Amino acid sequence: VFLANGFVFGGALDSKNGFVALEALTLDTQAPSPPIINPVTADNTINAAEVGTQITGQNETGATVALTIAGIVRAATVIGSNWSYTLTAADITAMNEGAETLSATQTDPALNVSLAATREIKVDTIAPTAANTSGFYTSATNTLVLTGSNYQTMWESGEGNTTDIKARLDWSKLFWDINADDAATPNVTFNLADIISAKVTQAGELTVILTNAKGKALEATRYYGGTAIDTLDILAGFDRDTAGNPAATDAKANAPLTIS
């Protein structure tokens, strides 16, 4: 094998005639283009619970892909012209809170390495610390006010007491406990369609306005506001921030409820 004029030549060595069957071999030194990194999540934010989320992208067929997360290089799984990597708890822990940059390179079969592709994401793994203690309901305005503390920890930067946070709360974890008998009498449940708005009107108050239809249905529930005073049951994780981090401090069984 020898190099001449930019080509590699190779052939078999014959003891009488020297090199025979001489052919030129192309020397591949061209680096591939950077791979593509697809958007990571719908809101471009990673939270503490998103272990198992797949980061995906496209590559040149036959290439391998290396993904760098928080300075740690991870080998991606490549199938044809697509690659993927599944986030682990260690990956999320290693990321910095706030802005984070993912990068990826690809290496072709000739071992040429591309420049890095990058994608900016946001990391939010800090759960709110909201706590619920009691509530009061005003039937004339279909308004349920939850009282407690630290509701403002569900806000993001720039948000305040006019920000409607109804979409980030987990309404499947709020129950109106008729007769305070822990569902011996069927509870009243809630979903997002029942809610006009939910706002942190102050650090100790979360003000929820129900739709007229939900208010009427609630007030028409058998035993509503009867001699056995109703309460609220709130499961942990009802209060969540916009990244989807659930509070671990907000569970409250039989929260006292005042009705007017």
Side-chain angles (χ1 to χ4, degrees), residues 62-238:
T64 59
V65 174
L67 177 67
T68 299
I69 301 172
I72 303 170
V73 179
R74 309 292 196 188
T77 298
V78 176
I79 300 177
S81 60
N82 297 284
W83 64 268
S84 64
Y85 176 79
T86 302
L87 278 175
T88 67
D91 293 327
I92 295 174
T93 299
M95 293 184 192
N96 293 315
E97 197 73 14
E100 182 73 35
T101 301
L102 303 176
S103 66
T105 60
Q106 62 177 327
T107 302
D108 67 19
L111 303 184
N112 299 302
V113 182
S114 73
L115 295 175
T118 61
R119 179 168 287 279
E120 303 296 322
I121 62 171
K122 180 182 178 182
V123 179
D124 182 354
T125 62
I126 299 174
T129 57
N132 300 295
T133 57
S134 62
F136 57 91
Y137 180 71
T138 304
S139 58
T141 57
N142 304 317
T143 300
L144 173 64
V145 177
L146 301 181
T147 59
S149 60
N150 296 329
Y151 291 122
Q152 82 283 359
T153 60
M154 290 186 283
W155 286 339
E156 298 301 314
S157 177
E159 294 184 338
N161 58 14
T162 61
T163 303
D164 187 356
I165 65 169
K166 67 179 181 181
R168 70 188 65 161
L169 301 174
D170 187 347
W171 296 101
S172 69
K173 296 183 175 180
L174 175 66
F175 303 89
W176 185 294
D177 190 349
I178 298 292
N179 285 340
D181 57 13
D182 297 327
T185 307
N187 292 333
V188 174
T189 59
F190 301 87
N191 58 56
L192 182 58
D194 297 326
I195 312 302
I196 291 178
S197 65
K199 299 177 181 179
V200 177
T201 43
Q202 53 184 295
E205 288 189 354
L206 175 63
T207 301
V208 178
I209 300 178
L210 307 179
T211 63
N212 286 333
K214 184 62 177 180
K216 288 179 180 179
L218 169 64
E219 293 152 26
T221 302
R222 190 179 183 189
Y223 305 125
Y224 161 85
T227 53
I229 300 173
D230 300 342
T231 60
L232 295 174
D233 291 328
I234 304 169
L235 302 182
F238 167 70

Side-chain angles (χ1 to χ4, degrees), residues 38 44 128:
N38 294 332
N44 201 44

